[in-house]
Amino acid sequence: MKTIFTNARGISLDEQSPFFDTIVVDGETIDAIGTKDLLASYAEGSVQIIDLNGKTLLPGFIDTHQHLEMTGKILCSADLTSCTNFDDVFARVREQRNKVAEGEWVLAYCLFDQNLAENRMPTAAELDTVCADSPVALIHTTLHFLSLNTLGIESLGIKAGMEGVDVEDSEVTGVVRDPASFKVALPQIDKIMPEETIIQGYELAARAALKRGITSLHCLEGKEGQEHRSLLFHQNRSSLPVHTVFWNQTLDITASTKLDLSRIGGCVFADGAIDCYTAALFEPYCNQPDNYGALTYTQEEMDDFVIEAHRQGLQVAVHCEADRSIEQVLHSMEKALALYPRENHRHRIEHFEVPTYSQIERMAKAGIIASMQPAFFPYLMKDQSVFGAMLGPSRHKRLHPYRTILDAGVTICGGSDSPVTPYDPLSGIQAAVCHPYEPERVSLTEALHMFTTSAAYSVFEEHERGCLKTGMKAEFIVLDQDPFSLPPEEISTITIERVFAKGRLYTTEEL
């Protein structure tokens, strides 16, 4: 039976027919869209009619950069998001310790040192006072560093002298940063959780996304040398209640083509994170004058990966936070395009947080997409004075320069980087509209496009989803307020009441 949603304030984001009040759905497809006159075309009793009482209806949001497995792991572990001091953190560690068997790992995620009164990560000695009989790992919200207790250090083989391992008086402190965090510690921690728990986590994370109005997820999954995890996700993703696009996070092109994937990359780390002082800069951090951050790969290694993936027709995405890593990857992509011209490649640079103006112009010329996360502002960058001190006034003005990027003709697609920030597209949209540096603000319509039409375009799906018109996927949300009727700073207060995805209507209370 077809379903008609009528009496809506429908915003299609389709330039040809931007507004509507009635939409007819047949399974997972939009059968018709337009005015209430459509009702006369259907015999009474042959359709289900749902009156939306004037509520706003929008295309479902698309999150173009998030990690479903990691988000699910957090939902199955201790969540430190709301912790404001070490006492909070240690209480959560004790709770999690009581949930696992003796000697098993105690895992906790989303610890953000800047939210803590202590303004730092706990040491091994401090964690030992809370839990000394089981290995403990507290993973930073950016995933770029973590804290371990003594058993955790021993279990992972963390040693002084490894790059990224904090040392004091020749002893390992328990704080591990890039590159040791993602080359040594996290790959081992990733293997700890049983597969059945990981699969359960996929479902929990997908439903958490639906609750926030996300009907399509670009899933940046897997890691170098963990082909079994990529396969696990690939085998289970079709059963999830949201549409998924799979980015396989590896430099192993054969591993991706074996899964019949048309894209590769995601958080293939060209550098680290600004918050952790590991994002690669041309000039040093202003408050750490000897620190330029670090590149993960040589130029030759990056060239080899990007050029070969491009040559084989794959879409490529690489994590680059700051100007020096952006330069490395942009150079590789430009070189690939010169060697093997291909207009409609839609390669992406993920994060693209501190580009130079010339890099933005070159991105536009090359047709490379910027995959960005505006919600970093309210969640990770609340105190802009911190980033001003890190970057200095000139670079600080280039932090997430949305207006400049769009004006140059570069497509921006929006994501959360969950679990780095929660699934919350409305917060991301508000952040883009209310950019702390006013010249870089965008309009509400432009911000909505980041999480809908531009997001779909970024993976060649603009003819299937991202806007609402006849023949496209029926993926939409019903809001309690019209975002165009609110002050920009109140957009994130909107409640999502219903979500339609994969042929099913949900109320957010049931998710």
Side-chain angles (χ1 to χ4, degrees):
M1 179 183 288
K2 295 178 181 179
T3 304
I4 300 178
F5 297 85
T6 191
N7 193 18
R9 171 164 168 68
I11 301 170
S12 70
L13 296 178
D14 172 25
E15 292 182 359
Q16 303 302 315
S17 301
F19 302 106
F20 64 94
D21 59 34
T22 299
I23 185 169
V24 184
V25 174
D26 185 0
E28 297 186 25
T29 306
I30 299 172
D31 189 64
I33 188 167
T35 68
K36 292 178 184 176
D37 294 342
L38 285 171
L39 293 170
S41 304
Y42 298 88
E44 188 175 343
S46 66
V47 294
Q48 178 187 16
I49 298 176
I50 298 176
D51 189 334
L52 293 179
N53 299 308
K55 295 291 177 68
T56 298
L57 190 153
L58 280 173
F61 295 128
I62 302 171
D63 190 320
T64 62
H65 184 119
Q66 59 81 51
H67 307 277
L68 195 74
E69 180 181 315
M70 186 61 71
T71 302
K73 282 181 177 178
I74 291 168
L75 293 172
C76 297
S77 306
D79 185 355
L80 306 178
T81 304
S82 61
C83 293
T84 58
N85 54 52
F86 280 2
D87 287 343
D88 291 346
V89 173
F90 297 157
R92 301 283 172 86
V93 170
R94 290 188 187 96
E95 288 173 12
Q96 187 64 19
R97 168 64 187 86
N98 292 332
K99 293 179 182 178
V100 303
E102 185 175 345
E104 287 190 2
W105 273 88
V106 177
L107 301 178
Y109 293 86
C110 293
L111 180 60
F112 191 38
D113 55 321
Q114 292 180 35
N115 283 347
L116 302 179
E118 294 82 0
N119 200 34
R120 62 177 176 84
M121 299 286 281
T123 64
E126 290 164 333
L127 288 174
D128 286 345
T129 65
V130 182
C131 179
D133 59 351
S134 291
V136 176
L138 312 183
I139 293 93
H140 193 267
T141 193
T142 64
L143 307 179
H144 287 273
F145 66 128
L146 66 154
S147 289
L148 301 166
N149 70 348
T150 298
L151 274 180
I153 292 168
E154 293 170 354
S155 298
L156 299 181
I158 301 298
K159 302 185 183 301
M162 289 182 175
E163 190 177 358
V165 174
D166 284 10
V167 175
E168 191 171 296
D169 297 329
S170 301
E171 297 292 326
V172 174
T173 68
V175 177
V176 181
R177 309 171 189 270
D178 292 337
S181 58
F182 70 84
K183 283 190 172 181
V184 180
L186 290 176
Q188 295 183 73
I189 291 171
D190 283 342
K191 298 175 183 177
I192 292 165
M193 196 169 283
E195 283 192 355
E196 57 269 24
T197 306
I198 291 170
I199 293 169
Q200 177 191 3
Y202 295 157
E203 179 76 18
L204 292 172
R207 288 185 171 271
L210 269 179
K211 193 177 183 74
R212 305 304 297 176
I214 299 166
T215 56
S216 181
L217 290 168
H218 296 186
C219 300
L220 285 59
E221 308 298 332
K223 287 183 176 64
E224 202 71 39
Q226 294 190 28
E227 289 79 8
H228 63 292
R229 283 290 173 80
S230 297
L231 180 61
L232 184 70
F233 173 71
H234 196 47
Q235 291 172 331
N236 286 276
R237 66 193 185 103
S238 62
S239 64
L240 296 173
V242 295
H243 170 69
T244 61
V245 173
F246 183 17
W247 286 95
N248 195 20
Q249 297 182 136
T250 179
L251 300 183
D252 187 342
I253 297 167
T254 302
S256 285
T257 55
K258 277 183 179 178
L259 295 176
D260 199 27
L261 299 175
S262 60
R263 53 186 54 86
I264 190 169
C267 275
V268 170
F269 295 115
D271 66 348
I274 296 170
D275 325 57
C276 309
Y277 292 90
T278 54
L281 295 163
F282 285 132
E283 298 176 358
Y285 290 91
C286 293
N287 51 358
Q288 292 190 7
D290 295 326
N291 183 8
Y292 291 77
L295 292 172
T296 309
Y297 303 100
T298 66
Q299 187 67 58
E300 183 180 9
E301 288 171 328
M302 186 59 67
D303 285 352
D304 288 347
F305 165 62
V306 171
I307 291 169
E308 182 57 22
H310 173 82
R311 188 189 70 80
Q312 292 194 31
L314 297 178
Q315 184 186 12
V316 180
V318 181
H319 161 122
C320 306
E321 291 215 358
D323 48 22
R324 187 155 59 105
S325 65
I326 291 169
E327 184 63 30
Q328 182 188 69
V329 173
L330 181 54
H331 174 81
S332 295
M333 291 181 174
E334 289 171 329
K335 190 172 180 180
L337 288 164
L339 289 169
Y340 306 103
R342 189 169 107 223
E343 286 189 15
N344 201 21
H345 53 83
R346 303 192 197 179
H347 297 323
R348 297 187 351 186
I349 291 183
E350 307 297 308
H351 304 308
F352 202 64
E353 292 194 60
V354 192
T356 67
Y357 297 123
S358 64
Q359 287 170 341
I360 294 170
E361 294 296 330
R362 287 161 57 201
M363 285 268 287
K365 184 177 179 181
I368 299 166
I369 294 166
S371 173
M372 303 181 74
Q373 299 74 44
F376 281 7
F377 279 121
Y379 285 104
L380 301 183
M381 300 177 177
K382 290 178 184 177
D383 187 351
Q384 282 298 299
S385 66
V386 171
F387 292 88
M390 294 170 84
L391 299 172
S394 177
R395 282 185 303 199
H396 192 203
K397 289 180 179 179
R398 292 192 273 115
L399 183 64
H400 288 243
Y402 307 129
R403 177 78 274 145
T404 300
I405 294 170
L406 289 178
D407 286 349
V410 176
T411 296
I412 300 177
C413 59
S416 63
D417 205 8
S418 180
V420 174
T421 75
Y423 294 128
D424 192 2
L426 287 169
S427 284
I429 289 163
Q430 176 177 307
V433 174
C434 300
H435 194 295
Y437 181 47
E438 190 170 348
E440 293 298 348
R441 292 176 180 173
V442 302
S443 71
L444 175 54
T445 298
E446 289 170 322
L448 285 168
H449 280 298
M450 291 181 191
F451 290 87
T452 54
T453 58
S454 296
Y457 174 85
S458 79
V459 287
F460 298 88
E461 291 190 338
E462 68 272 22
H463 300 300
E464 299 177 50
R465 49 183 47 88
C467 68
L468 300 173
K469 58 184 178 181
T470 302
M472 294 185 71
K473 294 292 184 183
E475 297 172 348
F476 54 82
I477 57 178
V478 179
L479 314 178
D480 73 334
Q481 298 179 83
D482 176 3
F484 288 92
S485 69
L486 293 176
E489 62 275 9
E490 295 180 15
I491 292 169
S492 64
T493 67
I494 294 171
T495 297
I496 294 163
E497 295 186 343
R498 304 187 194 190
V499 182
F500 194 92
K502 284 198 168 181
R504 181 173 173 183
L505 180 65
Y506 300 86
T507 62
T508 49
E509 288 82 1
E510 66 183 284
L511 289 168

